[in-house]
Amino acid sequence: FLSPDILIDQHGQATMVEVNVNGYMIGNLHKSFFPLHEEQRAVFRLMGGNGFPKQHKYAAALEQQTAAFCKRRKAKCTPAAEREIWEMVHEDMHCAMAWYRIFPTGEDRPHTARLKGSPSYQRSFTFLDGVMFDWLQHGWAPLHQLDQNRSVVVAQTPPSADLPPPKARAKPRQQKPASAAKIPEAHLNTMHRMPAGLAPAGGDASADDELAVLRARIAELERKGQAEAGRGR
């Protein structure tokens, strides 16, 4: 768990002061001085550690909005960029204990305005940064509010009636079991020959038949072993 300390001056220049390793992760030690257990748990939730459990309240509306956004955007979104938007929205909707996003943000935040106003930082923005800035200008978010701990409380957010319904996600294709797959004729000739009386797994012999054959083979080997031991005396 790395916690970097970064200083951003009035010109938008960022300087990393230090990086703490396990900075506040001190368990029960000195808990009266650093009561941050819930804040630590909140970090893992907003990172998706428990799978973003609130997303079912707004997922259909979110996919509808991002589809419309990417369709209207001049520089089209890639499918990967659209998934990154979903991820950012999930993180925002699972923020708790006063955690919040500092980048990317809109130009209403002074640090973002200064970053955008700096030529050196402008050249550093990526395609994905541009997509995120445009998405924030789009101005949509699931219905939510903050509670007394500045934790996000998400409300049920239905899809908009003014936009096309979200596309149904394709179900993963079910593969046939290996035993049902057809083995090419050429491959049959290269397969290792099974011992006499044994059928391959998934073959014609039933499990009971295979077990009976195995028991018979074991008994035969035991008899041979006993006979050889008798001859050696």
Side-chain angles (χ1 to χ4, degrees):
F1 185 87
L2 302 179
S3 52
D5 293 340
I6 298 175
L7 176 66
I8 300 179
D9 63 23
Q10 60 181 350
H11 303 294
Q13 303 296 322
T15 303
M16 182 175 291
V17 179
E18 62 177 346
V19 177
N20 296 313
V21 180
N22 297 338
Y24 284 116
M25 301 191 72
I26 53 180
N28 290 327
L29 183 64
H30 306 307
K31 63 182 179 181
S32 59
F33 298 101
F34 300 102
L36 297 172
H37 180 67
E38 290 302 320
E39 286 80 354
Q40 293 168 12
R41 293 181 63 186
V43 171
F44 291 100
R45 293 193 192 102
L46 71 86
M47 292 170 58
N50 59 348
F52 299 127
K54 304 175 188 176
Q55 62 177 296
H56 69 92
K57 295 185 177 181
Y58 58 81
L62 172 60
E63 293 181 23
Q64 181 191 49
Q65 290 288 335
T66 55
F69 164 77
C70 289
K71 187 176 180 179
R72 291 196 299 262
R73 190 171 183 266
K74 293 180 180 179
K76 302 295 185 182
C77 305
T78 63
E82 186 176 11
R83 290 193 296 271
E84 291 294 334
I85 296 175
W86 298 346
E87 188 81 5
M88 185 174 71
V89 173
H90 293 333
E91 292 171 357
D92 287 347
M93 295 299 103
H94 291 78
C95 282
M97 304 303 295
W99 289 102
Y100 63 95
R101 172 172 38 82
I102 62 171
F103 186 87
T105 59
E107 293 188 18
D108 56 322
R109 300 291 181 87
H111 69 276
T112 298
R114 292 189 178 279
L115 288 173
K116 285 189 171 184
S118 169
S120 60
Y121 281 106
Q122 283 181 354
R123 291 192 295 269
S124 300
F125 289 144
T126 65
F127 165 77
L128 185 57
D129 291 334
V131 172
M132 294 303 191
F133 286 140
D134 289 348
W135 168 256
L136 293 173
Q137 288 183 350
H138 180 66
W140 183 89
L143 299 174
H144 66 282
Q145 60 183 2
L146 298 178
D147 65 11
Q148 66 274 13
N149 293 321
R150 296 192 61 78
S151 299
V152 176
V153 179
V154 182
Q156 194 72 34
T157 306
S160 173
D162 299 330
L163 295 175
K167 294 182 179 179
R169 293 190 180 184
K171 295 183 178 179
R173 296 178 61 184
Q174 294 183 350
Q175 296 183 349
K176 293 182 179 180
S179 59
K182 185 176 181 181
I183 302 175
E185 190 68 28
H187 184 61
L188 288 174
N189 298 329
T190 64
M191 293 178 67
H192 294 291
R193 193 178 294 273
M194 298 294 293
L198 287 179
D204 295 331
S206 67
D208 292 339
D209 293 338
E210 292 179 14
L211 184 58
V213 172
L214 284 172
R215 286 174 175 169
R217 290 291 303 276
I218 292 172
E220 182 182 356
L221 290 173
E222 288 177 347
R223 287 195 298 271
K224 288 183 178 180
Q226 291 172 357
E228 291 176 359
R231 287 196 297 269
R233 290 175 183 173

